[in-house]
């Protein structure tokens, strides 16, 4: 799991490309949330709940993987 410590949280909205501005936070990503037709969303513990509610194309029921430790 140590290789993922450098990966940063993409925030609750999970913006991609031009829409990514301002959607990340400075905390390391701890969870990976699967999305339909998009790369997995990497989030910190604080943004896990909000990302399930507002991010684009989140699978339901959600598929969440632990990729690091806080």
């Amino acid at each position: 799991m140590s290789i993922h410590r450098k990966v940063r949280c993409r925030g609750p909205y999970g913006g991609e490309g031009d829409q990514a501005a301002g959607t990340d936070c400075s905390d390391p990503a701890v969870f990976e949330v699967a999305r339909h037709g998009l790369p997995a969303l990497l989030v910190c513990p604080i943004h896990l709940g909000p990302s399930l509610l507002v991010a684009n194309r989140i699978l339901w029921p959600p598929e969440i993987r632990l990729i690091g430790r806080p």
Side-chain angles (χ1 to χ4, degrees):
M1 286 193 225
S2 62
I3 62 168
H4 295 287
R5 297 299 291 162
K6 295 178 183 175
V7 177
R8 294 290 170 211
C9 174
R10 294 296 301 148
Y13 302 106
E16 300 293 328
D18 294 339
Q19 299 174 346
T23 62
D24 55 347
C25 78
S26 61
D27 292 338
V30 177
F31 299 102
E32 179 181 85
V33 181
R35 299 190 289 178
H36 178 73
L38 291 174
L41 180 60
L42 305 172
V43 294
C44 67
I46 300 295
H47 289 122
L48 177 60
S51 70
L52 295 177
L53 296 173
V54 298
N56 290 332
R57 298 184 181 180
I58 296 295
L59 299 177
W60 202 260
E63 293 181 17
I64 304 167
R65 291 178 201 84
L66 179 67
I67 61 166
R69 294 184 183 155

